[in-house]
């Protein structure tokens, strides 16, 4: 008679489910997981909503400023409003700087609530004026230091850190408990391989955990965030599910392998906790140190010092313009628009030119910084293959659109827009061309270009495949060892 | 039906079994006697493939135990010295699970109750949790599991150690009935009386070797006891 692996496996699954339900272990673990998933998702949603609100507020502010400027310009051009030197909307230097400006904004990705990632450290909007980019791109808000130290308790944290502990809780005694209770001998006297027994035990435990950790966040997102319902997002959700399942399988494979050593349940638990500490805590920290040593982060102090030097040199270069008299104080006529031309106050012109010069001088250093950051990111990407925790964290943040790659893309696009903004105003300021109503509607507009979905999918797919390969290798090893296990 | 061919089992420096050969024919009840550590349970473990022999081979129904573990386990039922079951399940649920694993199908409740009754478990205890059972009651569920399997061979490791004399007697009757139906039985025991009364053949083991084999009808209770003691002292 041929062996009947499938029915036996289903019998083991049903039996295990009944045992786990009866002794309430599963119920307890599932409740803990559900609470953590719920809280993690709440934190993610709250953060995403906060960022949405911030972007909406700055865009509203931009709109209001534009409307006010337009009204003011019409009034100034019609000679109905008294001229104010530094708030004159007809003056291109004022419009390029303090009076106007655009916001470069990056909207939340539709699945942002799944992982906070870099979004608590990297800005999702910049105010673009003619100021040096060093002033606005490297001068971001200071986060709560405690949050920066520990990270937020978001869904990614629950998956990367907590889920393996719950797998340990359910899996440390897969076989050892049967051996210690004495049921293993009777079980193994039946036409049942230990591999089938272990697989059945893993299947029921894994299904119980995944039944909470996968559908709950996805259903909530689909219900409350309409932008998450697109086809691309559904593919990303599928990838996210595959990734979480593969990571869970990896940890169950570790548990199965530990169980085939034939040690006691308490020793198995200790080994599992030690492995969790190494793989989830120590290895990422060690890798972080290694990255810092091999590819050091750019020095902020160096940047600050070089910026000060560049600023001082630029001020010196344009000191004649800076020291020019406020002629319009005694001669208000000087501020009037004549034949579509206006006298741009020399201090304002100097300011514009000096800031431009600072950026030109600092550019080589910033380029070196960007290269260093890029090298560091590449190294992190490569080293992430060594740590399942980093591997899954990078993939989870990619899916949520809160990974460093997306923020770097935002920074690059912002720099390009900053350049475009300056180029728009530069001839107007230098040639003293007054702003017109038509000019206001042709001001450069910001458009965030989302990273190609195919690029994101591919980077996540290979991580899913890698995680599955890791889990398969460990699982196969565990199954192979189980056939040689002595039952005494 | 059950064949051990020149089997040796080494645990490090200790030789638990030393070139043991025995053959149990269909319908025979073979009782293995011997002091603790003589190698009786090791031999049973080898037939169950719980251990692998250092040398030699074991066969059940001409199938190799190591190479075809699942196939050989379909042919045999095993009752250990202490039957340990799932405490959170009832006796009936334990029987339902183990019998479904053993025969690959779910037996109806009525059939399960009949099996428990045949093994001597009171019907009213069938739905109680096994955690509340005595050792003897658990042993009876173990017997019911073996009966459900309808196996061609029975491996028993001190099966009556937890049973009261009346239940032990009933168990012996069950064995004889099974043997009459063609079932092959290999049982380890310290109970010389039980071996003489139930066994078809008796083997005496000492320090991993099978030192004596005899047919039970050829020896009296007194002679068996004398022979056993003689081997133990030598």
């Amino acid at each position: 008679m041929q062996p009947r692996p499938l029915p036996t496996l289903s019998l083991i699954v049903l039996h295990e489910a009944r045992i786990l339900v009866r002794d309430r272990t599963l119920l307890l673990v599932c409740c803990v997981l559900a609470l953590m998933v719920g809280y993690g998702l709440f934190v993610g949603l709250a953060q995403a909503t906060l960022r949405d609100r911030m972007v909406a507020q700055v865009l509203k502010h931009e709109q209001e400023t534009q409307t006010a400027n337009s009204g003011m310009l019409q009034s100034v051009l019609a000679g109905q409003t008294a001229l104010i030197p530094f708030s004159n909307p007809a003056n291109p230097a004022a419009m390029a700087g303090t009076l106007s400006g655009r916001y470069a904004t990056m909207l939340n990705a539709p699945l942002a609530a799944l992982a906070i990632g870099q979004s608590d450290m990297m800005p999702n909007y910049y105010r673009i004026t003619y100021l040096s980019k060093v002033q606005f791109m490297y001068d971001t808000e200071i986060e709560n230091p405690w949050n920066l130290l520990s990270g937020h308790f978001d869904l990614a944290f629950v998956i990367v850190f907590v889920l393996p502990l719950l797998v340990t809780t359910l899996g440390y005694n897969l076989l050892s408990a049967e051996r210690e209770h004495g049921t293993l001998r009777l079980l193994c006297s039946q036409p049942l391989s230990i591999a089938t027994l272990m697989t059945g035990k893993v299947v029921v435990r894994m299904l119980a955990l995944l039944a909470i950790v996968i559908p709950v966040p996805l259903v909530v997102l689909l219900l409350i965030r309409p932008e998450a319902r697109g086809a691309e997002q559904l593919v990303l959700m599928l990838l996210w599910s595959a990734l979480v399942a593969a990571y869970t399988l990896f940890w169950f494979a570790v548990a199965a392998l530990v169980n085939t050593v034939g040690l006691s349940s308490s020793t198995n638990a200790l080994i599992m906790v030690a492995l969790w500490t190494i793989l989830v805590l120590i290895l990422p920290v060690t890798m972080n140190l290694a990255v810092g040593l091999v590819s050091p982060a750019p020095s902020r102090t160096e940047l600050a010092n070089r910026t000060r030097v560049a600023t001082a040199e630029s001020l010196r270069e344009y000191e004649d313009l800076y020291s020019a008299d406020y002629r319009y104080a005694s001669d208000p006529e000087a501020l009037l628009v004549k034949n579509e031309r206006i006298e741009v106050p020399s201090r304002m012109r100097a300011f514009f030119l000096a800031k431009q010069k600072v950026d030109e001088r600092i550019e080589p250093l910033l380029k070196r910084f960007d290269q260093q950051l890029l090298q560091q990111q590449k190294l992190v990407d490569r080293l992430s293959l060594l740590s399942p925790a980093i591997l899954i964290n990078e993939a989870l943040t990619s899916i949520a659109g809160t990974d460093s790659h997306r923020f770097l893309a935002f920074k690059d696009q912002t720099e390009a827009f900053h350049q475009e903004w300056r180029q728009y105003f530069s001839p107007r300021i230098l040639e003293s061309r007054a702003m017109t109503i038509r000019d206001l509607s042709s001001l450069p507009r910001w458009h965030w270009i989302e990273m190609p979905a195919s690029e994101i999918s591919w980077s996540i797919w290979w991580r899913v495949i890698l995680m599955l390969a890791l889990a398969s290798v460990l699982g196969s090893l565990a199954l192979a060892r189980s056939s040689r296990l002595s039952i005494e | 039906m059950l064949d051990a061919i020149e089997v040796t089992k080494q645990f490090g420096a200790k030789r638990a079994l030393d070139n043991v050969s025995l053959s149990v024919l269909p319908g025979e009840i073979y009782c293995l006697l011997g002091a603790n550590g003589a190698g009786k349970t090791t031999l049973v473990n080898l037939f169950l493939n719980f251990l692998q022999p250092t040398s030699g081979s074991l066969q059940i129904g001409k199938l190799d135990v190591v190479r075809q573990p699942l196939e050989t386990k379909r042919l045999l039922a095993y009752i250990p010295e202490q039957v340990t079951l799932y405490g959170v399940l009832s006796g009936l649920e334990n029987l339902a699970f183990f019998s479904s694993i053993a025969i690959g199908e779910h037996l109806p409740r009525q059939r399960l109750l009949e099996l428990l009754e045949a093994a001597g478990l009171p019907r009213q205890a069938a739905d109680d949790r096994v955690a509340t059972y005595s050792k003897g009651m658990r042993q009876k569920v173990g017997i019911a599991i073996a009966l459900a399997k309808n196996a061609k061979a029975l491996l028993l490791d001190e099966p009556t150690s937890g049973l009261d004399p009346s239940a032990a007697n009933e168990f012996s009757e069950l064995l004889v009935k099974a043997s009459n139906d063609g079932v092959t039985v290999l049982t380890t025991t310290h109970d010389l009386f039980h071996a003489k009364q139930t066994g078809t053949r008796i083997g005496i083991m000492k320090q991993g070797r099978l030192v004596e084999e005899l047919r039970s009808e050829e020896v009296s209770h007194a002679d068996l006891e004398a022979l056993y003691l003689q081997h133990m002292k030598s």
Side-chain angles (χ1 to χ4, degrees):
Chain A
M1 201 188 293
Q2 288 299 307
R4 296 157 299 198
L6 195 61
T8 311
L9 182 65
S10 59
L11 286 171
I12 296 291
V13 168
L14 290 173
H15 167 72
E16 275 300 310
R18 185 158 56 176
I19 295 277
L20 288 170
V21 168
R22 287 270 173 93
D23 75 4
R24 293 180 188 163
T25 311
L26 196 62
L27 187 71
L28 186 69
V29 170
C30 288
C31 284
V32 170
L33 181 61
L35 279 173
M36 290 191 172
V37 165
Y39 182 67
L41 190 62
F42 169 76
V43 170
L45 282 167
Q47 284 285 322
T49 309
L50 185 70
R51 290 197 302 274
D52 279 344
R53 274 199 206 129
M54 279 160 64
V55 168
Q57 273 175 7
V58 296
L59 291 179
K60 187 175 165 227
H61 176 252
E62 182 182 285
Q63 186 62 44
E64 286 169 356
T65 309
Q66 277 177 4
T67 310
N69 283 341
S70 176
M72 177 72 109
L73 183 60
Q74 277 176 346
S75 177
V76 165
L77 292 176
Q80 293 167 350
T81 305
L83 295 172
I84 306 161
F86 291 96
S87 306
N88 183 358
N91 178 354
M95 285 298 277
T98 50
L99 204 56
S100 179
R102 287 266 197 221
Y103 284 100
T105 56
M106 181 176 68
L107 288 173
N108 278 322
L111 306 182
L114 292 178
I116 288 175
Q118 299 285 315
S119 66
D120 57 348
M121 296 175 75
M122 308 283 274
N124 62 337
Y125 70 88
Y126 294 108
R127 185 159 185 255
I128 308 296
T129 63
Y130 66 68
L131 291 178
S132 163
K133 62 184 174 188
V134 182
Q135 277 178 283
F136 67 89
M137 294 194 81
Y138 297 86
D139 184 28
T140 53
E141 292 171 20
I142 296 171
E143 249 280 9
N144 175 349
W146 177 245
N147 281 344
L148 292 182
L149 181 70
S150 62
H152 284 284
F153 191 100
D154 62 346
L155 191 58
F157 177 86
V158 173
I159 290 164
V160 177
F161 288 87
V162 180
L163 191 60
L165 286 176
L166 296 180
V167 170
T168 299
T169 310
L170 288 177
Y172 76 100
N173 60 354
L174 284 176
L175 284 181
S176 54
E178 297 282 1
R179 186 187 291 110
E180 285 157 11
H181 296 158
T183 39
L184 191 62
R185 287 181 70 83
L186 200 54
L187 273 171
C188 290
S189 71
Q190 311 303 334
L192 167 72
S193 67
I194 294 184
T196 308
L197 176 67
M198 212 155 57
T199 307
K201 282 169 173 280
V202 166
V203 165
V204 71
R205 285 162 171 78
M206 197 166 143
L207 285 180
L209 294 181
L210 294 184
I212 292 168
V213 83
I214 290 180
V216 171
L218 298 187
V219 168
V220 170
L221 274 185
L222 285 170
L223 286 176
I224 65 174
R225 289 190 82 94
E227 66 271 27
R229 293 174 202 154
E232 271 180 17
Q233 276 62 53
L234 291 178
V235 171
L236 285 176
M237 283 183 179
L238 197 70
L239 278 172
W240 184 84
S241 309
L243 195 67
V244 175
Y247 187 60
T248 312
L249 183 63
F250 167 80
W251 281 102
F252 270 116
V254 171
L257 191 59
V258 169
N259 268 273
T260 57
V261 179
L263 302 169
S264 68
S265 294
S266 50
T267 312
N268 286 351
L270 273 175
I271 293 172
M272 288 292 292
V273 170
L275 286 174
W276 177 85
T277 311
I278 292 167
L279 293 177
V280 177
L281 297 180
I282 296 175
L283 200 56
V285 170
T286 312
M287 281 164 58
N288 206 16
L289 286 173
V291 167
L293 282 174
V294 175
S295 178
S299 160
R300 297 270 164 187
T301 318
E302 188 188 351
L303 178 65
N305 287 338
R306 290 288 294 276
T307 307
R308 281 191 199 113
V309 171
T311 308
E313 284 171 353
S314 305
L315 284 172
R316 234 187 347 265
E317 191 170 337
Y318 296 107
E319 61 188 351
D320 291 345
L321 286 173
Y322 273 114
S323 59
D325 287 340
Y326 290 96
R327 189 167 72 81
Y328 39 80
S330 54
D331 181 13
E333 291 289 311
L335 295 172
L336 288 176
V337 176
K338 291 164 195 158
N339 299 324
E340 296 191 343
R341 304 193 82 77
I342 189 167
E343 187 180 319
V344 176
S346 49
R347 278 186 72 85
M348 293 177 81
R349 187 192 300 252
F351 207 62
F352 174 80
L353 291 169
K355 293 297 170 190
Q356 194 161 284
K357 200 55 106 179
V358 168
D359 273 358
E360 278 168 19
R361 287 195 166 122
I362 213 78
E363 190 60 25
L365 181 69
L366 290 179
K367 273 216 170 104
R368 189 160 63 80
F369 270 38
D370 288 344
Q371 251 174 352
Q372 274 179 284
L373 279 174
L374 211 63
Q375 272 175 356
Q376 209 175 41
Q377 187 59 47
K378 273 184 187 164
L379 196 60
V380 167
D381 285 347
R382 253 182 256 138
L383 286 178
S384 73
L385 306 182
L386 299 175
S387 163
I390 295 183
L391 192 74
I392 191 173
N393 193 55
E394 292 286 303
L396 291 176
T397 51
S398 284
I399 291 170
T402 53
D403 58 321
S404 49
H405 292 282
R406 191 165 181 257
F407 280 100
L408 284 176
F410 176 52
K411 188 170 153 281
D412 287 346
Q413 289 182 33
T414 305
E415 280 187 21
F417 182 66
H418 180 233
Q419 197 69 17
E420 188 187 346
W421 183 261
R422 270 210 184 128
Q423 279 167 2
Y424 178 86
F425 283 101
S426 184
R428 285 170 172 78
I429 293 170
L430 299 179
E431 294 164 18
S432 301
R433 279 155 48 187
M435 295 296 290
T436 63
I437 296 294
R438 202 176 53 251
D439 286 341
L440 286 189
S441 56
S442 67
L443 286 174
R445 287 185 182 278
W446 163 257
H447 294 288
W448 159 243
I449 302 162
E450 191 58 84
M451 291 172 76
S454 58
E455 196 181 303
I456 301 169
S457 294
W458 169 239
S459 78
I460 299 161
W461 263 120
W462 78 258
R463 285 185 169 99
V464 172
I465 291 165
L466 201 65
M467 191 62 77
L468 278 174
L470 267 173
S472 303
V473 168
L474 291 176
S476 305
L477 207 58
L479 295 181
R481 282 185 60 88
S482 75
S483 65
R484 296 194 298 271
L485 198 65
S486 292
I487 300 150
E488 291 181 78
Chain B
M1 184 67 191
L2 295 172
D3 299 288
I5 304 153
E6 296 175 356
V7 174
T8 296
K9 178 66 189 176
Q10 196 91 22
F11 291 109
K14 187 179 183 302
R15 185 163 283 200
L17 283 182
D18 187 3
N19 204 32
V20 171
S21 291
L22 70 79
S23 189
V24 189
L25 301 172
E28 270 192 327
I29 300 175
Y30 193 109
C31 296
L32 268 179
L33 294 172
N36 290 333
K40 307 184 297 292
T41 301
T42 302
L43 186 62
V44 170
N45 283 343
L46 285 165
F47 269 115
L48 287 162
N49 196 37
F50 289 176
L51 299 171
Q52 282 78 48
T54 309
S55 66
S57 66
L58 299 107
Q59 294 179 349
I60 299 173
K62 303 296 176 195
L63 297 174
D64 188 273
V65 166
V66 176
R67 290 197 199 114
Q68 294 157 290
L70 295 186
E71 288 79 358
T72 53
K73 282 175 188 174
R74 282 185 218 290
L75 299 175
L76 62 86
Y78 165 64
I79 302 175
E81 183 183 355
Q82 284 193 22
V83 174
T84 317
L85 303 161
Y86 295 99
V88 292
L89 302 182
S90 69
L92 193 86
E93 287 169 331
N94 270 287
L95 174 59
F97 167 63
F98 280 105
S99 62
S100 62
I101 292 286
I103 62 176
E105 63 178 87
H106 290 292
L107 292 174
R109 179 181 165 84
Q110 189 53 38
R111 174 68 185 138
L112 295 171
L113 287 170
E114 284 168 12
L115 287 165
L116 287 173
E117 208 167 345
L121 189 81
R123 202 179 179 103
Q124 62 271 24
D127 290 314
D128 292 344
R129 285 195 173 197
V130 163
T132 64
Y133 281 17
S134 66
K135 184 182 175 188
M137 288 165 85
R138 290 200 302 273
Q139 207 74 2
K140 285 169 183 170
V141 178
I143 294 166
I145 292 168
L147 291 175
K149 200 166 178 180
N150 209 10
K152 290 185 177 168
L154 277 175
L155 283 177
L156 313 170
D157 193 5
E158 317 237 5
T160 54
S161 68
L163 300 180
D164 57 58
S166 157
N169 194 46
E170 282 172 22
F171 180 69
S172 296
E173 284 173 14
L174 274 174
L175 281 190
V176 172
K177 185 178 174 300
S179 147
N180 290 338
D181 292 341
V183 175
T184 308
V185 180
L186 174 64
T187 176
T188 70
T189 182
H190 290 293
D191 186 344
L192 300 183
F193 180 80
H194 167 75
K196 162 68 186 135
Q197 191 190 28
T198 322
T200 317
R201 274 198 297 154
I202 297 166
I204 299 173
M205 291 193 73
K206 186 185 175 188
Q207 292 172 348
R209 282 181 292 121
L210 187 63
V211 292
E212 187 77 55
E213 261 191 317
L214 56 151
R215 300 197 71 79
S216 61
E217 74 259 20
E218 292 168 355
V219 66
S220 67
H221 282 292
D223 290 344
L224 178 61
E225 190 173 352
L227 191 63
Y228 180 79
L229 290 173
Q230 184 191 325
H231 277 298
M232 294 304 110
K233 282 174 188 167
S234 62

